[in-house]
Amino acid sequence: MEHSLIRAEAALAPKPAHVPDDLVRDFDMARCADTGDVHRYWKEEVQDRLPDIFWTPHHGGHWVATRAADILAIQRDPGLFSNGEFVIPRGIVPKLIPLQLDPPRHTAYRRLFMPFFVPRALTDIEARARAVAIELIEGLRPRGECEFIGDFAGVMPIVAFLTMMHLPHDDLAMLRERATLASKPHFEGSAQAWEDLSAYIRDCIAARRAQPGTDPVSAMLQAEVDGERLSDDDVFSMCLLLLTGGLDTVATMIGFIAHYLATHPELQAQLREDPARIPDAVQEFVRRLGISNLGRLVTRDAAYRGIAFARDDMILLPMPLVGLDDRLNADPMDFMLDRSERHYSTFGVGPHACPGKVLAQREMTIFLQEWLTRLPPFRLKAGAPPVFTSSLINSVEALHLSW
Ligand code: HEM
């Protein structure tokens, strides 16, 4: 898929008076993928070289926290660091509930979500996702090559969403294309994709209102918070989050895993020989290949670790840097199946910790189990280098594999 990157942020934000000169750096998160190894760049050029917390004039001007301790502490302090704005630059995605609410209101809405994610609710999704994965892989096998993101990684999470929401599987292709674009606010076409997804969900809500079922949308339409039924806008916002939260995230994580395996044949061989190690591999991939670079909005003038933050400042939390911080994980750039403990924030911590974590990990496991048993050793296709980007998420745009 062709995208043109919007570099419209040429005008850098002026430095606010409360930001000290020695904490200003010319850092643009969209450039972290330029070297082709986005995790190494974040680790070695950002975490290891830049201050623990610094300010950059890019993307509207924002702080960046680079070390695990701060990225974790800030997530656990929603009173000072609000989720009201969680994307940098701010204001470019529609409101998502409960992601953009803070406790205590957040807690009431989040509770409504949890029944959709308990393990037994995931059994159907897992079976369907596995069946689709097998079908896709068997179709790809004779070709000897594929563009992994479009041909495989993007498909399984959409099947999961459609199954969870009791929606027709015919909608798969349309959703896949729109969701990929929508999740990349730095790309042209993102705004239109959000509109298309919104129209799709509003149609679904109207249909469930007319004819309720046993699906999550019908359940949300019946639910109450503080004794009041949710509005259509609230239900819309929650559905949009269920849709977008689990699509490109899973697709891109599976993409990073496939890229890692394609460039580490010895790990492929080890997992083929001993598939019982796949769950450990999933845990290690989750630590080593995190993706989300999320923001927080400062709610009041306050000092944090000696830095004077002002109300309305934005701070970027690159979640992958928790797993890559050697103050928490020994030799963090090494992939080690036998780590005795792992620390990461790939799925967030604190009130907003990802409810889709178990589902996402099951999808990664299904991918590894089915791909490694059904296909011979694979590698990057010669002459077709992978394409990575870095913004709201570190992402794999294109990954050509051959076998
Ligand atoms: C590898 C895949 C995934 C990653 C890396 C991921 C990452 C995250 C992160 C970091 C957060 C916390 C956001 C914050 O603190 O501001 C989050 C929240 C959330 N995720 Fe995921 N996620 C993944 C898969 C999924 C899936 C499969 C679903 C659902 C189908 C999902 C639904 C959600 C929802 C609803 C929230 C908001 C929770 C709240 O605000 O209380 N995610 N996710």
Side-chain angles (χ1 to χ4, degrees), residues 62-341:
H62 62 92
W63 296 97
V64 185
T66 66
R67 59 180 292 181
D70 294 316
I71 296 168
L72 294 171
I74 289 170
Q75 289 180 79
R76 293 186 169 118
D77 187 357
L80 179 55
F81 300 101
S82 164
N83 258 53
E85 296 278 1
F86 78 104
V87 179
I88 294 175
R90 66 178 86 186
I92 53 172
V93 295
K95 190 161 181 71
L96 297 171
I97 295 177
L99 187 54
Q100 278 171 276
L101 300 175
D102 296 314
R105 201 150 175 73
H106 163 263
T107 319
Y109 281 89
R110 182 177 163 107
R111 204 175 290 133
L112 303 178
F113 260 178
M114 298 326 275
F116 315 145
F117 291 104
V118 294
R120 74 172 180 285
L122 301 182
T123 311
D124 276 0
I125 301 178
E126 190 175 348
R128 181 80 197 159
R130 189 181 295 278
V132 170
I134 293 171
E135 193 184 317
L136 286 172
I137 295 167
E138 291 301 326
L140 291 173
R141 189 154 52 141
R143 282 169 43 185
E145 63 174 53
C146 72
E147 193 291 287
F148 183 79
I149 304 300
D151 290 339
F152 184 83
V155 181
M156 201 164 52
I158 296 187
V159 171
F161 172 79
L162 291 171
T163 310
M164 175 185 268
M165 304 299 270
H166 305 199
L167 286 165
H169 287 256
D170 298 348
D171 297 343
L172 201 146
M174 182 281 290
L175 278 187
R176 164 79 192 120
E177 193 195 328
R178 304 299 196 285
T180 304
L181 271 175
S183 66
K184 296 181 175 58
H186 294 84
F187 286 100
E188 280 173 7
S190 174
Q192 182 60 48
W194 275 112
E195 276 179 34
D196 295 347
L197 290 177
S198 302
Y200 175 81
I201 289 170
R202 289 209 185 272
D203 288 350
C204 167
I205 293 171
R208 301 298 195 220
R209 223 185 236 303
Q211 201 171 352
T214 54
D215 59 287
V217 173
S218 302
M220 286 187 265
L221 287 169
Q222 299 298 317
E224 292 183 356
V225 170
D226 297 336
E228 285 193 23
R229 282 275 166 88
L230 306 193
S231 67
D232 270 17
D233 281 348
D234 284 352
V235 175
F236 166 76
S237 180
M238 292 168 81
C239 291
L240 198 59
L241 176 57
L242 279 179
L243 170 63
T244 52
L247 293 192
D248 215 38
T249 47
V250 174
T252 215
M253 280 265 348
I254 292 179
F256 277 118
I257 294 172
H259 176 261
Y260 197 91
L261 288 171
T263 51
H264 294 80
E266 69 295 345
L267 180 59
Q268 271 192 57
Q270 187 182 0
L271 295 178
R272 277 176 213 284
E273 207 162 290
D274 189 2
R277 301 307 307 269
I278 285 177
D280 291 332
V282 167
Q283 288 306 307
E284 184 65 346
F285 283 129
V286 164
R287 179 197 68 78
R288 174 66 175 74
L289 299 173
I291 56 171
S292 310
N293 303 311
L294 303 177
R296 292 292 190 265
L297 179 70
V298 176
T299 57
R300 59 176 189 274
D301 295 357
Y304 173 84
R305 289 198 54 216
I307 297 175
F309 287 113
R311 184 190 165 150
D312 229 26
D313 281 354
M314 288 295 296
I315 182 161
L316 180 72
L317 307 179
M319 308 279 184
L321 288 181
V322 174
L324 301 181
D325 194 332
D326 29 18
R327 288 163 281 209
L328 277 190
N329 295 297
D331 301 317
M333 295 308 283
D334 294 348
F335 185 95
M336 290 192 257
L337 282 177
D338 292 319
R339 277 182 194 278
S340 53
E341 51 182 292

Side-chain angles (χ1 to χ4, degrees), residues 48-62:
D48 290 352
R49 291 168 76 108
L50 298 180
D52 290 354
I53 297 177
F54 67 90
W55 188 88
T56 168
H58 289 269
H59 304 291
H62 62 92

Side-chain angles (χ1 to χ4, degrees), residues 379-392:
R379 58 199 167 273
L380 299 183
K381 187 181 166 191
V387 181
F388 302 101
T389 57
S390 171
S391 62
L392 172 60

